[in-house]
Amino acid sequence: MYLVNYALAPEDGTQCYESENFSINDKLKKLHEKNDPQHLLAEQERAAAYPKLKKNAAVIKAKSFDGLELKAIFAKPENEESHDYALVIHGYRSEPRDLAPNAVHFLEKGWNVVLPGQRGHGWSEGKYVDMGTFACRDMVVWCNRILEMDPQARILLFGISMGGATVMMSSGEDLPPNVIAAIEDCGYSSVWNQFEYRLKYEFHLPPFPILNAASMLCKWKYGFSFKDGSSVDSLSKAKIPMLFIHGEEDDYVPYSMLKKNYDAKKGEKEILAVKGAEHAMSCYVDPDLYYSRVDGFIEKWFE
């Protein structure tokens, strides 16, 4: 039970950046002390981008298939009317603010942006993190919420880390035809594979019998097993074009999962490996390469 709670219902929860107790200066100081240049750069860019994101934004709500209240930031480009929407999904124990630089990039291209707070992460309701297993169905909810606001909307799915896995898992769902394409960045191939890797990496333990027992407990407590959430299974059913991105120095979601995900997707697809990038750092390590490929992919499918 400890492993299940450790991964899916951590006691400290997810700290909201709007909280009075949160200090961005404290976080930057800690990253300086850790000598962590990639994450320090990322945090500095998030701090700069978040006010731009909030400038013309509002909070919108939706109801999940299982009755949870879901919340998202909805931001519009300044002085432009657009029917193009980026649905931007954050990662594990993160929140919308962490993808502010990516969101601002879309805003500056004249796109609308919707950044949901994933269930179980503080913004939206939910008492546990499902690693995308149920959250992928929330993606359909948000697509339909966008269509309520704009029936002419054209939607791009974009996610990083667990958000990337959520995007991949949602690609096998019954998405509206207004969903044109998807981009995933450093998402895992399945919940089971990710936990198996982390169990070995963090605790130096084999998957059997610990992971098997934890998966059964998770099924009993939360209603899903670790094998229920599979990006590769969903990708085999995906019909929309997809771009797969991963940093070559990623030791959190291993770089080897990029090929597994890419190979599972049939039809139109592209792949980008970013040299020197750690987990979720590709857009900061080589932004010119990253956004040239992202923009090129978008221009191809959103003509």
Side-chain angles (χ1 to χ4, degrees):
M1 185 61 75
Y2 170 78
L3 180 62
V4 173
N5 289 335
Y6 174 83
L8 305 181
E11 291 181 2
D12 58 345
T14 298
Q15 190 170 33
C16 179
Y17 287 81
E18 300 288 357
S19 167
E20 294 179 359
N21 296 323
F22 180 85
S23 169
I24 187 64
N25 290 328
D26 287 346
K27 188 165 187 177
L28 291 171
K29 182 180 178 180
K30 289 178 181 178
L31 290 170
H32 270 296
E33 292 171 352
K34 288 174 64 178
N35 191 25
D36 189 344
Q38 289 193 22
H39 288 84
L40 176 60
L41 174 61
E43 197 56 45
Q44 289 170 334
E45 295 204 12
R46 290 167 184 155
Y50 194 45
K52 297 178 184 177
L53 173 64
K54 292 176 63 179
K55 187 176 181 180
N56 196 26
V59 174
I60 59 174
K61 299 178 181 180
K63 190 70 71 173
S64 72
F65 73 94
D66 52 352
L68 298 178
E69 182 179 77
L70 307 175
K71 295 181 181 180
I73 296 173
F74 172 39
K76 297 181 179 180
E78 287 192 90
N79 305 319
E80 286 191 54
E81 290 293 330
S82 173
H83 296 295
D84 292 329
Y85 291 75
L87 183 55
V88 178
I89 311 300
H90 69 75
Y92 177 70
R93 298 184 69 185
S94 178
E95 67 164 325
R97 180 258 185 204
D98 286 338
L99 269 65
N102 311 89
V104 168
H105 178 81
F106 290 117
L107 284 173
E108 291 177 346
K109 287 177 61 65
W111 282 50
N112 301 287
V113 181
V114 175
L115 297 95
Q118 289 238 49
R119 55 171 59 208
H121 280 76
W123 277 55
S124 296
E125 290 184 341
K127 296 182 179 179
Y128 60 89
V129 180
D130 64 42
M131 306 300 291
T133 306
F134 298 140
C136 66
R137 296 167 67 179
D138 296 340
M139 298 286 284
V140 180
V141 171
W142 283 117
C143 289
N144 289 327
R145 181 71 177 85
I146 290 170
L147 292 174
E148 288 178 8
M149 298 187 295
D150 183 358
Q152 299 180 61
R154 302 190 303 172
I155 302 170
L156 170 76
L157 309 181
F158 178 94
I160 295 181
S161 189
M162 189 184 77
T166 304
V167 165
M168 288 188 283
M169 292 181 202
S170 71
S171 70
E173 297 291 317
D174 186 17
L175 295 168
N178 303 65
V179 178
I180 307 300
I183 299 173
E184 78 84 19
D185 182 342
C186 64
Y188 38 82
S189 56
S190 73
V191 177
W192 179 276
N193 290 344
Q194 178 62 12
F195 282 170
E196 180 180 24
Y197 171 77
R198 297 308 304 175
L199 190 64
K200 180 179 179 180
Y201 187 88
E202 289 187 56
F203 301 102
H204 310 289
L205 294 170
F208 183 82
I210 297 171
L211 205 57
N212 305 73
S215 182
M216 288 190 291
L217 282 170
C218 184
K219 183 73 171 181
W220 168 73
K221 187 171 184 179
Y222 298 127
F224 72 97
S225 76
F226 297 163
K227 292 191 176 181
D228 289 337
S230 173
S231 299
V232 293
D233 287 350
S234 296
L235 287 166
S236 68
K237 299 177 285 185
K239 298 178 181 178
I240 56 175
M242 295 189 68
L243 169 60
F244 298 84
I245 303 172
H246 218 110
E248 292 187 0
E249 299 303 316
D250 193 337
D251 62 2
Y252 191 82
V253 175
Y255 173 65
S256 60
M257 289 189 181
L258 172 63
K259 188 175 188 303
K260 290 180 181 179
N261 294 330
Y262 181 79
D263 288 347
K265 169 71 172 73
K266 308 303 178 186
E268 298 286 351
K269 57 185 177 180
E270 296 181 21
I271 190 169
L272 171 63
V274 180
K275 293 182 178 180
E278 299 172 8
H279 182 64
M281 293 293 108
S282 293
C283 61
Y284 304 107
V285 168
D286 197 339
D288 291 339
L289 172 63
Y290 188 94
Y291 286 113
S292 67
R293 290 294 303 275
V294 166
D295 292 346
F297 176 79
I298 290 172
E299 289 165 7
K300 180 178 180 180
W301 298 107
F302 287 79
E303 293 180 326

